[in-house]
């Protein structure tokens, strides 16, 4: 059982994207040892080697890795992640879409600001090409 309460869980639905997932997890380097942060990866029956994914997760203080039989339904895969998360809030991240390195810290600052009252938080995103240029 964890001593400290996890405030924010990031659920990542994954299927055969280990090459992208390492980059996605880099966005969370600054918070990977924080008590309030958890990453939950749900693998939708990937046929690729998942050892690299699991080796990336050992860097995180709070992490969960689940492998389920392939269903091809990302919503269902995310729901499995939510059921296994322990955070007060849940954020979703695609396994092939890197997040800005400050995303989680900014979200954490907003959700822990007790002067704000909300049930959910939506934010915008930038469309980035393969050369890391913002195109939309």
């Amino acid at each position: 059982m964890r001593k400290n309460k996890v405030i924010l869980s990031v659920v990542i639905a994954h299927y055969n994207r280990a090459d992208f997932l390492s980059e996605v997890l880099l966005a969370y380097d600054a918070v990977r040892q924080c008590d309030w942060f958890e990453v939950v990866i749900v693998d939708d029956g990937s046929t690729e080697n998942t050892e690299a994914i699991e080796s990336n997760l050992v860097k995180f203080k709070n992490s969960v890795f689940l492998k389920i039989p392939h269903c091809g339904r990302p919503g269902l895969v995310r729901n499995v992640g939510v059921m296994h998360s322990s955070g007060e809030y849940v954020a979703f991240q695609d396994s092939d879409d890197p997040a800005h390195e400050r995303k989680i810290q900014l979200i954490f600052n907003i959700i822990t600001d007790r002067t704000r009252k909300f049930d959910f938080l939506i934010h915008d995103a930038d469309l980035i090409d393969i050369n890391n240029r913002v195109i939309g």
Side-chain angles (χ1 to χ4, degrees), residues 63-129:
S63 66
V64 176
F65 179 76
L66 304 162
K67 186 162 184 146
I68 63 172
H70 181 64
C71 68
R73 297 171 52 200
L76 178 66
V77 176
R78 289 182 187 104
N79 286 343
V80 169
V82 170
M83 289 187 303
H84 288 87
S85 67
S86 58
E88 182 179 347
Y89 294 92
V90 176
F92 297 103
Q93 174 75 43
D94 288 337
S95 64
D96 61 346
D97 293 330
H100 189 279
E101 61 194 26
R102 291 183 48 228
K103 172 186 172 179
I104 293 302
Q105 188 64 55
L106 292 170
I107 291 173
F108 176 77
N109 292 345
I110 292 168
I111 63 179
T112 56
D113 177 355
R114 296 300 175 197
T115 63
R116 299 177 186 207
K117 304 289 182 205
F118 55 86
D119 292 319
F120 60 92
L121 175 66
I122 299 172
H123 60 82
D124 61 353
D126 291 326
L127 183 59
I128 299 173
D129 71 8

Side-chain angles (χ1 to χ4, degrees), residues 40-51:
V40 178
I41 297 176
V42 183
D43 185 293
D44 185 17
S46 291
T47 56
E48 64 188 8
N49 185 348
T50 57
E51 289 174 0

Side-chain angles (χ1 to χ4, degrees), residues 7-22:
I7 295 172
L8 180 60
S9 296
V10 172
V11 173
I12 302 173
H14 169 73
Y15 179 72
N16 285 344
R17 294 296 202 164
D19 51 336
F20 289 104
L21 192 57
S22 295

Side-chain angles (χ1 to χ4, degrees), residues 2-59:
R2 295 184 177 128
K3 286 191 206 172
N4 300 306
K5 184 176 182 181
V6 173
I7 295 172
L8 180 60
S9 296
V10 172
V11 173
I12 302 173
H14 169 73
Y15 179 72
N16 285 344
R17 294 296 202 164
D19 51 336
F20 289 104
L21 192 57
S22 295
E23 185 179 348
V24 168
L25 292 174
L26 280 176
Y28 306 122
D29 260 0
V31 295
R32 69 179 182 207
Q33 291 299 312
C34 294
D35 291 326
W36 55 263
F37 178 75
E38 169 187 63
V39 63
V40 178
I41 297 176
V42 183
D43 185 293
D44 185 17
S46 291
T47 56
E48 64 188 8
N49 185 348
T50 57
E51 289 174 0
I53 298 168
E54 294 180 81
S55 69
N56 274 317
L57 285 180
V58 299
K59 301 173 188 171

